[in-house]
Amino acid sequence: MVEVEIAKSMAEEVKLFKTWSTPFGLRVVWALKLKGIPYEAIDEDLSNKSALLLQYNPVYKKVPVLVHNGKPISESLVILEYIDETWKQNPLLPQDPLEKARERFWAKFNDEKLLQSIWGVFAKEGKEREEAMAASMENLKFVEEELKGKKFFGGEKIGLADITFGWLANLICVFEEVTGLKMIDERFPLLLAWIQEFSQHPIIKDAGPPHDKLVIKYQALYEKFHPAK
Amino acid sequence: MADEVKLFGMWASPYSLRVELALKLKGIPYEYIEEDLSNKSSLLLKYNPVHQKIPVLVHNGKPVAESSVILEYIDEIWRDNPVLPQDPYDRAMARFWAKFIDEKIQPTARNANLAEEKEREQAVEECCQQLKMLENELQGKPFFGGDTMGYLDIAALVIAFWFEVVREVVGLDLITEERFPILCKWIGKLQDIDVINECRPPKEKHVNYVRARYEAAKAAASN
């Protein structure tokens, strides 16, 4: 059955509009690779967006955008669910509806709470940064709790929630290096272990942008947010 | 064993309404528990420790939180009268536009309603641009879901009813017949649907509630 699925996908056209560094685009790369779906990657320059990108995502004009046989889908979590429903091998979501709900809940938590709070630590100053740090610690505690007794958020295998939290595996160290602030320390042993497991996964390992290049990018961004006085 | 379904909700919350409507559309019996958000019950805090918010669905003792997550769960457990379309691409579109309502339309509407005189025109324009994009999804269909209500109609109820209440309080008419004829027609259809009228907030009570919150928000903004 898997051969038929792969043969079918070979005849299909899958394009992914992203940038070299976007963690949201990287999620989609991971999902496509996990399922063995061939695709064409188009790296955009966001300061000079292609006409195609604007045509495929007129609402947000952002990456990532997945285009499957000419039909575009944007918003990374919407894309991930689409991929899981269209290509059934190596499912990202479990069968059980309650477990599915759990994965979706945590994916949302990452995007709406955790990401925002950690970004606040990176981008803000003074009292706002302090508040963002406190919120980040609270949020990380919840995530740590969720990992109890599990290797991945998805259990034994990587799933939707792991892919969504995946930016922690390659970006937190960049943030910590650039800001000089430690965020995921020995208070979060399960998260640290998860970061190891996730980063070492054969699909995840070499799929992301190089660490050094990310440091340069975020260092420059950091300096913009915190100009030297 | 019969299913035990409880919904922790709040009468003026559009997110709570989404879940109630989905349950009613599918004919699922449930017990509704009204939460006082200024004095949250220990049960709510137990069932949703992360966000401490409504709505929370508790199915046979197991909680599910976040309205969009709950809607998907409901559709997967009770398969009659599906709320989401079958086709993966159509499902993606429904999910995309529901997110758009929450992440774009609601905040820009709030900005327009709270804007000072000099910023109001631009804020209104921005909101209307978003509303237009959504209205385009209704082209040639009575409902976002097609011939019958679906996931996106449920998500968009906030636009149908909350905007009308805010208009009465703030005086700002965002969804005019002139600018949004198709949206207005859709809203008109919703007014005639019994299940919706069963669970939407009572108009006068809702206006008073929103007025109180609006006054408080204005006071906070000017400090």
Side-chain angles (χ1 to χ4, degrees), chain A residues 57-60 62 68 71-79 81-82 85-86 95-102 104-106 108-109 111-113 142, chain B residues 48-51 53 62-69 72-73 76-77 79 86-89 91-93 95-97 99-104 130 133:
Chain A
N57 190 0
V59 176
Y60 292 106
K62 280 179 170 181
H68 182 208
K71 289 160 99 169
I73 301 130
S74 47
E75 295 297 285
S76 61
L77 291 184
V78 176
I79 296 172
E81 296 249 16
Y82 175 81
E85 286 168 6
T86 304
Q95 290 288 9
D96 175 63
L98 195 64
E99 291 307 308
K100 250 193 205 166
R102 183 199 296 271
R104 287 177 174 138
F105 175 91
W106 287 106
K108 267 194 122 212
F109 180 81
D111 279 10
E112 292 172 12
K113 292 280 175 196
F142 282 126
Chain B
N48 191 2
V50 174
H51 298 295
K53 283 180 169 181
K62 304 266 171 75
V64 182
E66 296 293 287
S67 64
S68 60
V69 177
E72 302 248 8
Y73 176 82
E76 284 156 15
I77 297 276
R79 297 191 168 257
Q86 294 303 313
D87 175 75
Y89 190 76
R91 290 162 77 86
M93 290 304 102
R95 288 166 176 148
F96 173 88
W97 288 108
K99 250 181 145 238
F100 178 77
I101 289 170
D102 288 349
E103 291 174 9
K104 284 285 171 187
Q130 321 287 359
M133 289 195 257

Side-chain angles (χ1 to χ4, degrees), chain B residues 120-175:
Chain B
R120 186 170 299 146
E121 202 181 317
Q122 195 186 332
V124 167
E125 195 49 43
E126 210 188 318
C127 183
C128 286
Q129 277 172 23
Q130 321 287 359
L131 285 167
K132 203 56 178 169
M133 289 195 257
L134 183 69
E135 191 187 48
N136 288 338
E137 292 304 302
L138 264 176
Q139 293 280 8
K141 297 188 285 191
F143 298 102
F144 289 102
D147 289 326
T148 53
M149 280 188 70
Y151 181 86
L152 187 51
D153 297 273
I154 293 174
L157 285 179
V158 64
I159 294 171
F161 302 132
W162 273 253
F163 277 43
E164 175 189 272
V165 168
V166 172
R167 180 184 65 220
E168 252 193 69
V169 169
V170 177
L172 195 61
D173 198 3
L174 285 168
I175 306 182

Side-chain angles (χ1 to χ4, degrees), chain A residues 44-63:
Chain A
E44 286 279 328
D45 170 5
L46 295 183
S47 65
N48 185 21
K49 292 171 186 175
S50 72
L52 264 183
L53 176 65
L54 299 178
Q55 175 198 326
Y56 284 136
N57 190 0
V59 176
Y60 292 106
K61 305 179 172 60
K62 280 179 170 181
V63 293

Side-chain angles (χ1 to χ4, degrees), chain B residues 7-26 30 32-34 54-57 66-68 70-71 74 83 106 149-163 165 186 190-191 193-202 206:
Chain B
L7 172 62
F8 289 76
M10 191 266 178
W11 67 273
S13 161
Y15 304 98
S16 182
L17 179 63
R18 285 175 185 175
V19 178
E20 261 207 289
L21 192 58
L23 291 169
K24 282 187 183 289
L25 284 169
K26 284 165 153 322
Y30 62 98
Y32 176 82
I33 296 132
E34 178 70 34
I54 55 93
V56 180
L57 188 83
E66 296 293 287
S67 64
S68 60
I70 298 171
L71 286 180
I74 288 173
V83 143
Q106 287 208 64
M149 280 188 70
Y151 181 86
L152 187 51
D153 297 273
I154 293 174
L157 285 179
V158 64
I159 294 171
F161 302 132
W162 273 253
F163 277 43
V165 168
W186 170 77
L190 297 177
Q191 318 267 16
I193 296 175
D194 286 338
V195 280
I196 293 180
N197 289 324
E198 273 167 40
C199 45
R200 58 179 284 200
H206 199 186

